[in-house]
Amino acid sequence: MRPRVLALGNPYRQDDGVGPWIAEQLRQAGLDVLEVGDDLTRLVEGLAGADEAWVIEAVVSGQPPGTLHVLEVGSAPLPAFERLSSHTFGLSEALELARALGVLPRHTVVFGIEGRCFGSGEGLSPEVAQSAEKVIGILLGRLGHPRAD
């Protein structure tokens, strides 16, 4: 059984669009991806019923742009990243809500890419685009996909 891939982000806020950008590349490789956008309640809904989930999100933690954070969601909460949207809760809180509701998959991995630019506009900064390509290779490789790098 394949993991459920969930991509977060807004493609009209520069690096925040890394999730949707990766989602499109994975679709072109023949994979199904649920685009959550920036509504994290949809993330909680999308996690329900999955045995395994891979979550893709732009993050801000103070690390250099393009830094890739690969975080296994265990029994402890994830570190809180800076909120990128105006919604009342962020990625860490959404995953904890899923845990509290009993819908957090037994194996959940977050692929967070440190962003640089989050203003209005389309397109990824070079550092984020490079990390996005790396994430695509990692995900396709984990699936044994022939297009993996």
Side-chain angles (χ1 to χ4, degrees), residues 40-114:
L40 293 176
T41 57
R42 289 193 65 216
L43 172 63
V44 174
E45 293 168 359
L47 292 169
D51 290 324
E52 183 173 352
W54 296 344
V55 179
I56 304 163
E57 167 73 307
V59 299
V60 175
S61 72
Q63 294 295 311
T67 298
L68 175 59
H69 306 270
V70 180
L71 304 166
E72 301 262 347
V73 179
S75 58
L78 283 181
F81 294 108
E82 186 175 320
R83 289 191 180 107
L84 299 177
S85 72
S86 60
H87 290 88
T88 57
F89 63 109
L91 175 60
S92 298
E93 292 91 351
L95 292 171
E96 288 308 305
L97 177 59
R99 184 191 317 273
L101 295 172
V103 299
L104 184 68
R106 61 178 172 72
H107 187 240
T108 302
V109 181
V110 174
F111 295 87
I113 298 176
E114 194 80 24

Side-chain angles (χ1 to χ4, degrees), residues 22-36:
I22 290 173
E24 179 58 29
Q25 305 311 305
L26 293 175
R27 273 193 214 94
Q28 289 178 15
L31 301 177
D32 290 325
V33 181
L34 173 63
E35 280 194 57
V36 175

